mmCIF file of all heavy atoms in Angstrom:
data_model
loop_
_atom_site.group_PDB
_atom_site.id
_atom_site.type_symbol
_atom_site.label_atom_id
_atom_site.label_comp_id
_atom_site.label_asym_id
_atom_site.label_seq_id
_atom_site.Cartn_x
_atom_site.Cartn_y
_atom_site.Cartn_z
ATOM 1 N N CYS A 114 -14.984 5.465 8.258
ATOM 2 C CA CYS A 114 -14.579 4.365 9.208
ATOM 3 C C CYS A 114 -14.533 3.043 8.406
ATOM 4 O O CYS A 114 -13.537 2.246 8.577
ATOM 5 C CB CYS A 114 -15.714 4.304 10.340
ATOM 6 S SG CYS A 114 -15.320 2.950 11.486
ATOM 7 N N ARG A 115 -15.480 2.837 7.509
ATOM 8 C CA ARG A 115 -15.529 1.544 6.801
ATOM 9 C C ARG A 115 -14.249 1.401 5.802
ATOM 10 O O ARG A 115 -13.706 0.473 5.629
ATOM 11 C CB ARG A 115 -16.712 1.483 6.000
ATOM 12 C CG ARG A 115 -17.973 1.268 6.824
ATOM 13 C CD ARG A 115 -19.221 0.803 5.959
ATOM 14 N NE ARG A 115 -20.432 0.850 6.730
ATOM 15 C CZ ARG A 115 -21.465 0.178 6.431
ATOM 16 N NH1 ARG A 115 -21.494 -0.525 5.288
ATOM 17 N NH2 ARG A 115 -22.553 0.114 7.084
ATOM 18 N N ILE A 116 -13.900 2.626 5.214
ATOM 19 C CA ILE A 116 -12.728 2.655 4.372
ATOM 20 C C ILE A 116 -11.462 2.386 5.121
ATOM 21 O O ILE A 116 -10.607 1.538 4.738
ATOM 22 C CB ILE A 116 -12.556 4.105 3.722
ATOM 23 C CG1 ILE A 116 -13.654 4.197 2.620
ATOM 24 C CG2 ILE A 116 -11.156 4.251 3.015
ATOM 25 C CD1 ILE A 116 -13.715 5.647 2.045
ATOM 26 N N LYS A 117 -11.294 2.852 6.310
ATOM 27 C CA LYS A 117 -10.156 2.667 7.153
ATOM 28 C C LYS A 117 -10.039 1.147 7.560
ATOM 29 O O LYS A 117 -9.031 0.589 7.563
ATOM 30 C CB LYS A 117 -10.044 3.561 8.389
ATOM 31 C CG LYS A 117 -9.904 5.087 8.027
ATOM 32 C CD LYS A 117 -9.884 6.001 9.215
ATOM 33 C CE LYS A 117 -9.512 7.356 8.915
ATOM 34 N NZ LYS A 117 -9.573 8.264 10.129
ATOM 35 N N VAL A 118 -11.253 0.673 7.896
ATOM 36 C CA VAL A 118 -11.294 -0.840 8.275
ATOM 37 C C VAL A 118 -10.836 -1.695 7.044
ATOM 38 O O VAL A 118 -9.987 -2.545 7.209
ATOM 39 C CB VAL A 118 -12.714 -1.237 8.685
ATOM 40 C CG1 VAL A 118 -12.717 -2.733 8.833
ATOM 41 C CG2 VAL A 118 -12.984 -0.668 10.024
ATOM 42 N N LEU A 119 -11.298 -1.332 5.859
ATOM 43 C CA LEU A 119 -10.871 -2.147 4.658
ATOM 44 C C LEU A 119 -9.358 -1.993 4.430
ATOM 45 O O LEU A 119 -8.728 -2.994 4.056
ATOM 46 C CB LEU A 119 -11.673 -1.614 3.413
ATOM 47 C CG LEU A 119 -13.227 -1.882 3.476
ATOM 48 C CD1 LEU A 119 -13.783 -1.323 2.150
ATOM 49 C CD2 LEU A 119 -13.543 -3.342 3.631
ATOM 50 N N LEU A 120 -8.899 -0.847 4.520
ATOM 51 C CA LEU A 120 -7.417 -0.629 4.183
ATOM 52 C C LEU A 120 -6.584 -1.282 5.322
ATOM 53 O O LEU A 120 -5.510 -1.942 4.980
ATOM 54 C CB LEU A 120 -7.115 0.783 4.201
ATOM 55 C CG LEU A 120 -7.835 1.595 2.929
ATOM 56 C CD1 LEU A 120 -7.415 3.053 2.962
ATOM 57 C CD2 LEU A 120 -7.311 1.013 1.668
ATOM 58 N N ARG A 121 -7.040 -1.254 6.524
ATOM 59 C CA ARG A 121 -6.310 -1.926 7.615
ATOM 60 C C ARG A 121 -6.190 -3.491 7.327
ATOM 61 O O ARG A 121 -5.277 -4.142 7.597
ATOM 62 C CB ARG A 121 -6.952 -1.681 8.985
ATOM 63 C CG ARG A 121 -6.477 -0.328 9.528
ATOM 64 C CD ARG A 121 -6.818 -0.261 11.108
ATOM 65 N NE ARG A 121 -8.140 -0.569 11.475
ATOM 66 C CZ ARG A 121 -9.033 0.327 11.602
ATOM 67 N NH1 ARG A 121 -8.859 1.568 11.397
ATOM 68 N NH2 ARG A 121 -10.234 -0.070 11.984
ATOM 69 N N ARG A 122 -7.439 -4.044 6.894
ATOM 70 C CA ARG A 122 -7.520 -5.445 6.655
ATOM 71 C C ARG A 122 -6.558 -5.725 5.385
ATOM 72 O O ARG A 122 -5.899 -6.850 5.522
ATOM 73 C CB ARG A 122 -8.914 -5.825 6.191
ATOM 74 C CG ARG A 122 -9.240 -7.242 6.188
ATOM 75 C CD ARG A 122 -10.588 -7.485 5.558
ATOM 76 N NE ARG A 122 -11.569 -6.711 6.361
ATOM 77 C CZ ARG A 122 -12.798 -6.432 5.780
ATOM 78 N NH1 ARG A 122 -13.083 -6.811 4.524
ATOM 79 N NH2 ARG A 122 -13.669 -5.688 6.458
ATOM 80 N N GLN A 123 -6.458 -4.868 4.476
ATOM 81 C CA GLN A 123 -5.452 -5.216 3.386
ATOM 82 C C GLN A 123 -4.067 -5.210 3.839
ATOM 83 O O GLN A 123 -3.225 -6.062 3.458
ATOM 84 C CB GLN A 123 -5.671 -4.051 2.230
ATOM 85 C CG GLN A 123 -6.940 -4.154 1.547
ATOM 86 C CD GLN A 123 -7.156 -5.401 0.878
ATOM 87 O OE1 GLN A 123 -8.084 -6.174 1.218
ATOM 88 N NE2 GLN A 123 -6.408 -5.756 -0.090
ATOM 89 N N ILE A 124 -3.751 -4.283 4.724
ATOM 90 C CA ILE A 124 -2.353 -4.232 5.238
ATOM 91 C C ILE A 124 -2.169 -5.558 6.102
ATOM 92 O O ILE A 124 -0.996 -6.187 6.114
ATOM 93 C CB ILE A 124 -2.195 -2.902 6.181
ATOM 94 C CG1 ILE A 124 -2.229 -1.741 5.272
ATOM 95 C CG2 ILE A 124 -0.913 -3.129 6.891
ATOM 96 C CD1 ILE A 124 -2.220 -0.406 6.090
#
Side-chain angles (χ1 to χ4, degrees):
C114 181
R115 294 194 186 196
I116 288 172
K117 289 181 177 179
V118 168
L119 294 181
L120 293 177
R121 283 199 301 268
R122 193 187 310 158
Q123 291 302 112
I124 293 172

